[in-house]
Structures are given as structure tokens and as C-alpha cells.
Amino acid sequence: MIGYAIVVFREVLEAALIVGIVLAASKGTPGRGRWVSGGIALGVLGACVVAGFAAEIAQAVEGMGQELFNAAILFAAVGMLGWHNVWMGRHGKEMAMEATALGREVAAGARPLYALASVVGIAVLREGSETVLFLYGLAAAGSGGAIDMLGGGTIGVLCGAVVGAGLYLGLLRIPSRHLFAVTSWMILLLAAGLASQGAFFLNQADVLPALGNQIWDTSWLLDEDSVPGRVLHVLIGYVARPEGIQLVFWATTIVILLSLMRWFSTAPKRAVVRAAVIVSLASAGLVLAHAARADFTIHPPIVEYQEFEVEHNGSYTFDSNPANKHNETGTLELGYGFLPWWGSEVEFAWSRTASDPPRRLDEINWENTFQLADQGEYWLDPGIFAEVGKSARVGNTDHVEIGPTLQKQWGNTVHTMNLFFEHLFGPDNGEKSVNFNYAWQSLWTWKREFQPGFEIFGDVGPIDRAPGIRDQQLRIGPVAYGKIDIAPGLGELKYGLGYLLGLTHGTEKGALKWNLEWELVF
Amino acid sequence: MDRQAWLITLVSAIFFVAAGPVWADEPQFTLVIKDHRFDPAELQVPAGVKVRLVVKNEDSTPEEFESSELHREKVVPPGQQILVIVGPLDAGSYGFFGDFHQDTAQGKLIAK
């Protein structure tokens, strides 16, 4: 019986801790007990189903069904937790006004309890399915009768529940005004831990590389299988022997969720959160009155095959006109070279203007680079760039941008040109307009770590009714780029920095631009 | 270009890429679980390359193939076999075990 109890306790522990955190995070919301109980019940049901279909799942998708299933539900849980935190960031102020009837109504009606219930259900399903299989194995082998199994199982569940309850009650001791912040952080770390587990399974499924089999080994300090080790594993994602990819997913989840929480937050900014976001890859944003964003990026007609990259671009403009005084843009991009001739990136773009201070997510773009020939095969290296963008702001437009990219290497200089046509979609776009913008870059490939040159960016505007050059945007300025190797297997870092002077009446006086990229081939 | 044409292009591209990776001839080894033990208990595999491990469960109850050094955790249903891909591994010894029968199901992978 003890054997059963111990096994069940180990598995139940993780789910119980998650239930404790969820209950504390949703304190004050009527009906949460029903939602969480529902989540647990569905999770138990799901666990039995998954255990029953273990054979079929294992053989699915060329033998990687288990891994892909686990990764999918883990990332679904990450999404739910992230959604909850973002939602709380927007409505936290109202939630804190528990004392008022309005606050209670908001709490009752709007909270995404289904999100929290799903997380509970997923946690129970994950741990539960393994438990069911294990108990079935023990039972089939005849080690002890039904009473042993039931008794041991119940004891295990109760012990797990006690630990979960302990966490819940401990969290409740925190004064209400701080509880929201504390549970937000706990949910953030919980999500990061689950994402790291998801990465583990994707590596097992041979979908992601390990990026280092064992970045450190702290099993001598705290074994992951011990009770405190498991507790830490759930709460902060502790892994005694982490793969590099697990750390990448852990950190990236925190960066992305913190950034999203901050963008959508209506609460006064806290210094700690602000510092964390700045330290992370996210950067300032900008809102331009202009429908098209001013992105100062040159797109070469080259695909870096099998290269994964995380990129951040930013700009900060200066102008004497007070309305345009300090505008900022920023992007975060994740990309991969899927084929030798096709690379793709997802880009999150945000901005902030002097007249509209909060940073806002402007759009989410899907960029594709097509390399049409080998480098040097023709006199000019030809390529095509195609981008689809979905606006994240009310009233703003979606867009498609496409055009040729050309490059020429000449001795120790390289020159690149972009000619892009942008078609805007949207309710406010009565007349279909196609905008045209162009860019040029010349670099002296002096050293790998430092390549100076200049760039030109021009935006004509709508082709059919283009304003004169005076009112178009045109910029030129010095830039420098470089590449630095980090360590074998850890990829390389690329940087870019430049200052663009506005040449026309319709352009800001100056713009500082930068970009930082981390690339890894696998 | 209109939205529909784009959508069709993008979806086709996704299907193209998702056609599935073609696994080259990677070395393959078999581990058998019988009487809650691994056979062989010590398996030598080449270092520096991806290795395919086929784990066959010849018992009548499920087992979970697990190794924290190899970062692998996978259930093997009774009477079935599963595929576990490990590596590239540095030279060394990597322990694995059956999570459901830890007292008897223990083994080592030696990468050379």
C-alpha cells in the first residue's frame, strides 16, 4: 500500500501545487471552486482516456505521438497562463476594488476562469495519465489487492492535496493588495517551467535541438526527483540537468509574457517590472500618425538555411516639432531558414509616440524571404521579400508588402537594394492604395566584427497620388554592422547601429536605429 | 495581389515543409524489457551521431523508459515498441531506467 501511496503522491504533487496557485490567483472570484473542480474532474477523465490510448498515441506521428501530445498540451497551458496574466494586467485595478459592487461584478462576469480551469485540467491529465498507467501495471502484476491500491492511492492523493493546500493557505496570508502581484509572478514562473518542459518533449521528438546536453548538473545539490526538487520544478521550472533549449524556452517565455503583460497593463508601472522588461529583449515602441510604420531594416536576398534567429530592431526619432519629438519603434522577431531558398520570420512590432505615451503593439507580421539564385550566380543576387501583417490596433490596417531585393558584392563592398510595394487593407481604406518604399545599403566588409557603410530609406507613399518629394520621407545616414561568435554551438550575435538624417520636410530630423540578433544554425 | 492568393501560397508552403523530415540512415539499436529488466543492460553506441533506440516491452504491463542524463521520458505500452532518438552524445556513460520498476529496470548507454 505504501508503494502505491508514494507513487501517487509524487505524481499528484505537481498538479496539487498548480491547483493551489490557481486558487490563490483567483481568490475573490465567485464560482472559481466549481471551475477548478471541473478542471480536475475533466483532467482525471482525460488521464484515463490518454492512458487507455497510450499505445495508439505512442505510435502516432512516426513514433513521436507521445512527445508531440505532451508538448502540445504543455504549450496550451502556457498560453492559458499567459492569457490570464495579460487579462489581469488590464483589469487588475478593477479587481482590486473588491469592496465596491462594480469591482465584484467585474470579478464575477469577466475573469477568464476557463483559462485557469484548463491549466488545472492539463496538469491533472499529464500527471494523471502516467499514474494510471503505473497503477494499472502494478495492479496487473498482482502486487497487492484492490484495497491496497485504493487505500494507497487515496493516501497519496490526500498527501498531495495537503501540500497544495499548504501552498494555497500560505499564499492567502499575503495581504490582498500584494496578492495579485505575487500570484502573477508565480503564474509567470509556472508558465516558464511548463514551456521548458514542452521544449524537453520537442527535443525528444527530434523537432528541436538540445543546444547543449547539460548546461549544468545540480543533482548533487537538489535532485529533481526528491520532493523539494519536484516542488521547485513546478514552481520555477527547476531542472537539475537542463538542456540548452529548455533554458532558452524558459527565458523566452518570461521575456514574452512580461512584455505582453506590460504592454497591456493599465496599472501604474512598477520599477521592477520596468527594469525587467528593459533588460529583456523587448524595447520601446512608437506610434506614428503615418499608417505605415517607419522600419529601418534592409532585407537582403539571402536565406540563411537552417539558421534560427531571434532579432530585435528599434528606432528612436528626434524632431523639433513637439508632436513628433520622440517616437520609438521596436520589433521582436523569431525566424528560421526552412529551405535554402525560403526563410520565414514572425515579427511583433510595437511603437510609442510623444503624443501617445503608452507602448502599444502595432502589428504582428509574417515575413518571408525568398532567395532566387545562388550568391554570385548572376551579376546581381536576386530575391523577393513578402510580408503579411495583421494590425493589433483598432482602426489600423492590415497589409501585404512585397517586392524585389537585390544585392551585389563588389570587391570588399556589398550593396543591397529593396523596392517594396505595400497594399493596405482595412475598413478605413476606401480607396485601395498601394504605397511604395525603397531602401539602399552599402557596406565596406572591413572586418567581420565591424562593417561600416551608409543606408538610405525612402517612402513615397501612395503611388497613384504621391506627394512631391518634399513631403515624402527620405533619410540617409551612416551605419555599422558586425558579427560576433559566442561559443561553438551557441551561435553568433549580430549587431547594427546607425543614425539617419531626415532630408525632406516630411521626415523627422534624425533617427537612431539599432538591431541586435542572435543566430544559431541547427 | 489579393488575400486569397496569398493564403493559398502560404498554406501550400506549410504543407510542403511539413512533408516530414527524412531520417537518414542513423544507427539503430534495440533494447528489450523483459521481466522488468533491460536487455542488454549495457549498450554501446557511437558517440557524436544521432542514435535510434527501439525499446520493446515484452512484459504484460507498461513501463516508462527514462533517463535524466539523456533527457528522455517515454511510456512503452505492454507488448509494444517505441522509438527513442538520442544524441549526438559526447563520449561517456549515460544511465537509464524504467520508472515503473526502478529496483530492477536499470541500464547504461556507453557512447564511444
Side-chain angles (χ1 to χ4, degrees):
Chain A
M1 185 173 324
I2 289 290
Y4 284 106
I6 292 180
V7 166
V8 172
F9 169 65
R10 268 172 36 199
E11 302 297 336
V12 166
L13 187 58
E14 173 161 343
L17 288 171
I18 292 179
V19 169
I21 294 176
V22 161
L23 282 175
S26 58
K27 175 189 158 199
T29 313
R32 82 197 210 278
R34 274 177 289 139
W35 276 98
V36 171
S37 310
I40 295 177
L42 280 177
V44 169
L45 200 62
C48 296
V49 170
V50 167
F53 284 100
E56 287 78 358
I57 295 177
Q59 301 311 327
V61 195
E62 295 176 311
M64 295 299 156
Q66 257 188 66
E67 290 85 344
L68 294 176
F69 175 74
N70 282 329
I73 61 174
L74 284 165
F75 286 118
V78 173
M80 293 289 187
L81 290 170
W83 166 234
H84 171 268
N85 266 14
V86 167
W87 191 97
M88 284 304 292
R90 301 188 71 155
H91 301 271
K93 212 163 48 172
E94 292 136 23
M95 306 295 303
M97 303 186 310
E98 276 174 277
T100 74
L102 173 65
R104 271 197 293 273
E105 268 171 36
V106 170
R111 187 175 213 137
L113 279 178
Y114 59 85
L116 292 179
S118 311
V119 172
V120 166
I122 286 171
V124 170
L125 183 146
R126 268 260 311 137
E127 305 304 320
S129 58
E130 278 185 25
T131 314
V132 169
L133 281 169
F134 179 75
L135 289 177
Y136 164 74
L138 281 183
S143 29
I147 301 213
D148 271 347
M149 203 166 100
L150 274 172
T154 314
I155 293 178
V157 169
L158 285 176
C159 291
V162 162
V163 177
L167 176 61
Y168 171 65
L169 293 171
L171 287 174
L172 282 197
R173 286 191 175 295
I174 301 172
S176 278
R177 65 181 182 281
H178 294 312
L179 185 61
F180 159 45
V182 170
T183 52
S184 279
W185 278 101
M186 294 197 72
I187 286 186
L188 178 68
L189 290 170
L190 177 63
L194 292 180
S196 145
Q197 273 188 55
F200 171 93
F201 283 111
L202 286 181
N203 165 257
Q204 186 167 309
D206 207 21
V207 167
L208 287 177
L211 295 188
N213 250 324
Q214 193 168 289
I215 304 300
W216 67 67
D217 183 354
T218 49
S219 51
W220 55 271
L221 184 61
L222 184 60
D223 188 6
E224 216 178 303
D225 271 329
S226 66
V227 170
R230 277 179 178 246
V231 169
L232 222 53
H233 176 66
V234 172
L235 293 186
I236 65 168
Y238 169 73
V239 177
R241 300 183 178 97
E243 298 171 317
I245 194 77
Q246 290 184 278
L247 297 175
V248 167
F249 269 68
W250 188 90
T252 307
T253 303
I254 290 193
V255 164
I256 292 182
L257 286 188
L258 261 185
S259 311
L260 287 174
M261 281 159 64
R262 183 133 194 255
W263 282 320
F264 294 105
S265 168
T266 56
K269 312 299 181 213
R270 297 255 157 75
V272 173
V273 176
R274 181 178 310 193
V277 170
I278 288 174
V279 162
S280 72
L281 277 181
S283 161
L286 138 75
V287 164
L288 287 175
H290 200 312
R293 290 167 45 86
D295 264 335
F296 309 121
T297 314
I298 301 277
H299 296 278
I302 310 291
V303 170
E304 305 196 24
Y305 179 45
Q306 291 184 328
E307 184 181 83
F308 172 70
E309 62 175 42
V310 180
E311 187 180 336
H312 161 61
N313 294 314
S315 76
Y316 193 80
T317 57
F318 307 90
D319 201 47
S320 46
N321 176 357
N324 256 354
K325 206 164 188 137
H326 292 306
N327 295 338
E328 303 167 34
T329 65
T331 69
L332 179 65
E333 304 172 39
L334 299 163
Y336 189 66
F338 291 99
L339 296 172
W341 50 268
W342 174 50
S344 202
E345 275 186 16
V346 171
E347 176 188 83
F348 299 89
W350 64 86
S351 59
R352 175 163 85 165
T353 42
S355 51
D356 187 13
R359 296 183 184 113
R360 298 195 193 279
L361 182 68
D362 284 335
E363 51 195 23
I364 299 180
N365 300 321
W366 183 26
E367 302 184 355
N368 292 280
T369 302
F370 297 95
Q371 180 171 344
L372 298 180
D374 290 329
Q375 278 183 280
E377 188 180 345
Y378 300 114
W379 192 74
L380 278 179
D381 299 326
I384 291 183
F385 176 78
E387 175 182 286
V388 182
K390 182 104 185 64
S391 168
R393 316 253 338 250
V394 174
N396 268 19
T397 54
D398 300 340
H399 74 270
V400 169
E401 190 173 16
I402 189 168
T405 55
L406 298 162
Q407 192 173 81
K408 176 78 192 159
Q409 277 213 290
W410 213 318
N412 55 4
T413 61
V414 62
H415 312 271
T416 312
M417 173 160 78
N418 296 162
L419 303 168
F420 293 157
F421 300 85
E422 187 187 21
H423 186 164
L424 302 170
F425 303 89
D428 296 339
N429 238 32
E431 323 152 24
K432 299 229 171 209
S433 70
V434 176
N435 295 346
F436 174 66
N437 64 73
Y438 55 96
W440 176 276
Q441 177 195 71
S442 286
L443 291 180
W444 172 29
T445 56
W446 182 36
K447 285 188 173 135
R448 206 168 119 88
E449 301 82 21
F450 186 73
Q451 303 188 347
F454 70 89
E455 281 173 356
I456 301 174
F457 291 94
D459 195 334
V460 167
I463 296 182
D464 47 349
R465 38 194 171 87
I469 185 85
R470 186 176 179 265
D471 293 310
Q472 297 176 18
Q473 298 208 0
L474 183 56
R475 299 173 168 80
I476 186 170
V479 298
Y481 291 88
K483 250 191 206 194
I484 307 167
D485 283 321
I486 305 177
L490 285 180
E492 25 182 57
L493 219 51
K494 242 164 74 164
Y495 75 90
L497 194 60
Y499 192 80
L500 301 167
L501 302 158
L503 291 180
T504 66
H505 179 78
T507 321
E508 298 92 343
K509 289 252 176 322
L512 179 69
K513 62 160 261 189
W514 62 87
N515 79 287
L516 202 56
E517 249 179 75
W518 172 65
E519 303 177 349
L520 183 71
V521 176
F522 65 86
Chain B
M1 202 179 290
D2 74 343
R3 251 176 168 170
Q4 260 186 334
W6 267 119
L7 219 52
I8 293 172
T9 314
L10 301 181
V11 171
S12 317
I14 291 170
F15 272 113
F16 183 173
V17 172
V22 176
W23 280 317
D25 343 62
E26 288 148 352
Q28 181 166 307
F29 300 86
T30 307
L31 275 173
V32 173
I33 300 174
K34 191 140 178 72
D35 297 325
H36 311 311
R37 286 178 165 30
F38 286 106
D39 178 30
E42 253 187 47
L43 183 61
Q44 190 169 88
V45 297
V49 293
K50 276 197 184 160
V51 168
R52 290 162 65 98
L53 287 178
V54 173
V55 184
K56 279 190 188 167
N57 187 353
E58 289 180 2
D59 285 336
S60 54
T61 60
E63 183 58 271
E64 187 174 19
F65 175 86
E66 190 169 329
S67 164
S68 65
E69 287 115 309
L70 293 170
H71 304 284
R72 293 291 177 264
E73 185 189 311
K74 194 159 178 172
V75 169
V76 200
Q80 305 263 344
Q81 66 184 49
I82 56 160
L83 175 64
V84 180
I85 299 181
V86 293
L89 297 171
D90 293 331
S93 163
Y94 302 83
F96 56 84
F97 56 93
D99 198 23
F100 295 171
H101 302 91
Q102 285 193 43
D103 40 352
T104 52
Q106 295 280 340
K108 256 200 300 213
L109 209 66
I110 314 229
K112 268 204 167 147

